[in-house]
């Protein structure tokens, strides 16, 4: 039997649902079997080094209970205030720089990488940005993480008609240009082919996104 619904549904991601469980907390529940312990450990490590993530209170298999963060995502802000695109791009770059200053999760080299850092995973609060969805977090290379954000900003496709797609394309270019102006583009370009190849095997990517990934890989390989 499926687990009971714990409270009002707040949102649905590609792999998990988020419920309000009261007391200023939310439950992130994966829809398939999943071990949330590594994600919780990564978030605790980041919080311990001053990086803005929700506080984790409990983890049990595919369930993760954490603080509810009040504030819209960058994506929601951009939908209402598209002139904020450049500022959001620079903020994404600054979050990468802050990750660069945090020691790795393990004893090896590198730093903690998010590998899904995009406007939908940055919540804008009164005290600053808070980054969510650390399901892909591990130790890795900064260039790989930056290249992943580059790819996601370049290929993201909102649902909607042609007019919305045209407006989104303009907004995407401004957001991406601001982001790339604040990061090591050459290092990220060196990791882009690998990142594109990985995302081409992601079952969550739609046909339009897959086509855009192939186009991006081809254009940067020239």
């Amino acid at each position: 039997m499926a687990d009971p619904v714990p409270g009002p549904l707040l949102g649905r991601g590609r792999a998990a649902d988020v419920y309000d469980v009261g007391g200023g907390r939310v439950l992130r529940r994966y829809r398939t079997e999943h071990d949330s312990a590594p994600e919780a450990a990564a978030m605790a490590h980041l919080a311990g080094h001053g990086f803005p993530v929700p506080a984790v209170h409990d983890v049990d298999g595919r369930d993760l209970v954490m603080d509810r963060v009040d504030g819209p995502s960058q994506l929601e802000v951009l939908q209402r205030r598209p002139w904020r695109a450049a500022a959001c791009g620079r903020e994404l770059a600054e979050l990468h720089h802050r990750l660069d200053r945090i020691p790795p999760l393990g004893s090896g080299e590198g730093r903690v990488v998010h590998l899904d850092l995009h406007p939908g995973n940055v919540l804008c609060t009164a005290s600053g940005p808070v980054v969510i969805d650390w399901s892909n977090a591990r130790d890795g290379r900064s260039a790989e993480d930056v290249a992943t954000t580059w790819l996601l900003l370049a290929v993201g496709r909102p649902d909607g008609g042609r007019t919305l797609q045209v407006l989104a394309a303009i907004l995407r270019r401004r957001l991406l240009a601001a982001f790339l102006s604040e990061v090591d583009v050459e290092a990220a370009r060196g990791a882009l082919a690998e990142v594109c190849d990985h995302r081409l095997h992601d079952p969550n990517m739609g046909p339009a996104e897959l086509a855009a990934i192939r186009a991006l890989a081809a254009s940067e390989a020239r």
Side-chain angles (χ1 to χ4, degrees):
M1 185 174 67
D3 293 333
V5 174
L9 179 67
L10 296 176
R12 288 178 62 86
R14 292 188 173 187
D17 302 320
V18 178
Y19 300 91
D20 184 356
V21 294
R25 298 181 181 183
V26 297
L27 167 68
R28 177 180 170 87
R29 170 173 287 171
Y30 286 88
R31 291 191 287 275
T32 59
E33 290 303 314
H34 184 84
D35 181 9
S36 296
E39 182 175 357
M43 293 173 69
H45 175 81
L46 290 158
H49 288 87
F51 194 86
V53 298
V56 175
H57 299 283
D58 189 32
V59 58
D60 182 13
R62 63 194 183 105
D63 289 350
L64 187 63
V65 178
M66 52 194 154
D67 277 352
R68 177 170 180 168
V69 179
D70 292 323
S73 68
Q74 271 194 351
L75 183 60
E76 291 168 325
V77 169
L78 289 169
Q79 290 170 343
R80 297 196 302 263
R81 302 174 181 175
W83 59 88
R84 295 280 299 160
C88 286
R90 290 190 294 269
E91 186 172 67
L92 284 170
E94 176 57 25
L95 287 167
H96 277 285
H97 295 320
R98 291 179 68 177
L99 276 176
D100 283 341
R101 297 192 286 270
I102 294 175
L105 297 167
S107 58
E109 297 181 357
R111 55 94 149 171
V112 184
V113 293
H114 185 282
L115 298 179
D116 204 22
L117 187 49
H118 58 74
N121 282 334
V122 179
L123 302 182
C124 303
T125 76
S127 57
V130 175
V131 181
I132 60 173
D133 191 358
W134 292 88
S135 57
N136 295 327
R138 59 173 172 79
D139 290 338
R141 295 174 295 131
S142 175
E144 178 187 11
D145 210 12
V146 171
T148 299
T149 297
W150 179 354
L151 179 151
L152 295 172
L153 295 181
V155 310
R157 296 294 187 273
D159 296 329
R162 178 171 175 76
T163 299
L164 178 60
Q165 295 295 336
V166 171
L167 292 173
I170 296 171
L171 185 64
R172 187 167 58 246
R173 285 196 294 270
R174 292 175 179 171
L175 179 66
L176 180 58
F179 174 73
L180 293 178
S181 71
E182 301 292 331
V183 298
D184 186 341
V185 174
E186 289 309 310
R189 182 175 283 116
L192 194 58
E194 177 185 347
V195 166
C196 286
D197 182 67
H198 174 74
R199 287 284 170 166
L200 286 173
H201 296 87
D202 184 344
N204 293 314
M205 288 290 174
E209 291 170 318
L210 292 173
I213 292 171
R214 294 187 184 96
L216 176 64
S219 67
E220 292 301 326
R222 294 171 187 165

